[in-house]
Amino acid sequence: MNVNHHLRLVTLLAVAASAAACGDPFEPFLTPIPPVQEIGLVDFDDGALVDPAALDMFTGNPVRTDQTNGWDFLFVVDDTEGPALLPRAGLLGGESEAGLQHSAETFEVLADAPDSDYTMDALVPIEPGDVVIMVSRRNPQLLARCRVYGKLEVLSIEGTPAVVRMNVVINPNCERRELIDDEEEE
């Protein structure tokens, strides 16, 4: 090892040690939670193929299911349930850890995602005003194969084909359930 490599390693260890002394040892390496993003998804059954019906939680973007297999849930208007979100395994079967769960808290107050009790393979009915907690599938592109957590608030469901407008916040850090930045809480 050369001197520069040793210096970088010592600096990294010092930063981690000082962070550990104050709490979370990974804090200096975490990506800030992004601001609220408004997105729209078109009904999977009735929308045009070129319109995004699903959400990829790793990018935070609406996606088309015909162009990528990288999505966590989609929007559908079911004949029985009405407007709903459907986790990945609900459409594709098999195992997927992507899931959804209604929250009784308001979007602004919801600070942490729970670690269990997600619906992973069935419709989750939604209506304007609902707050839903999300957990992604495991990211196959990362060695740790981690998941990310997020929250959404249904703003509106309108049109033909139906379009759901939602506010979304996704914590981009692996396995971190915080949904509000510490700075926002103060």
Side-chain angles (χ1 to χ4, degrees), residues 123-151:
L123 290 170
V124 175
I126 57 170
E127 60 184 44
D130 283 353
V131 175
V132 179
I133 307 161
M134 311 174 283
V135 62
S136 72
R137 68 203 186 279
R138 291 200 182 270
N139 189 341
Q141 297 175 342
L142 298 177
L143 184 59
R145 295 197 40 127
C146 68
R147 299 170 301 172
V148 295
Y149 291 84
K151 63 182 177 179

Side-chain angles (χ1 to χ4, degrees), residues 61-173:
N61 293 321
V63 294
R64 291 173 43 183
T65 57
D66 68 313
Q67 291 185 331
T68 181
N69 194 25
W71 56 272
D72 298 286
F73 65 87
L74 54 80
F75 172 62
V76 64
V77 178
D78 183 73
D79 292 339
T80 306
E81 298 288 337
L85 299 175
L86 182 64
R88 177 181 186 82
L91 181 69
L92 301 177
E95 290 187 31
S96 171
E97 294 186 29
L100 302 162
Q101 177 181 148
H102 279 279
S103 175
E105 295 185 63
T106 66
F107 185 77
E108 294 78 16
V109 171
L110 180 59
D112 293 292
D115 61 359
S116 61
D117 298 326
Y118 290 88
T119 299
M120 300 192 170
D121 60 0
L123 290 170
V124 175
I126 57 170
E127 60 184 44
D130 283 353
V131 175
V132 179
I133 307 161
M134 311 174 283
V135 62
S136 72
R137 68 203 186 279
R138 291 200 182 270
N139 189 341
Q141 297 175 342
L142 298 177
L143 184 59
R145 295 197 40 127
C146 68
R147 299 170 301 172
V148 295
Y149 291 84
K151 63 182 177 179
L152 66 85
E153 175 182 32
V154 179
L155 301 174
S156 65
I157 302 170
E158 301 175 331
T160 305
V163 175
V164 62
R165 304 285 319 158
M166 304 177 287
N167 278 336
V168 175
V169 170
I170 299 169
N171 186 334
N173 299 293

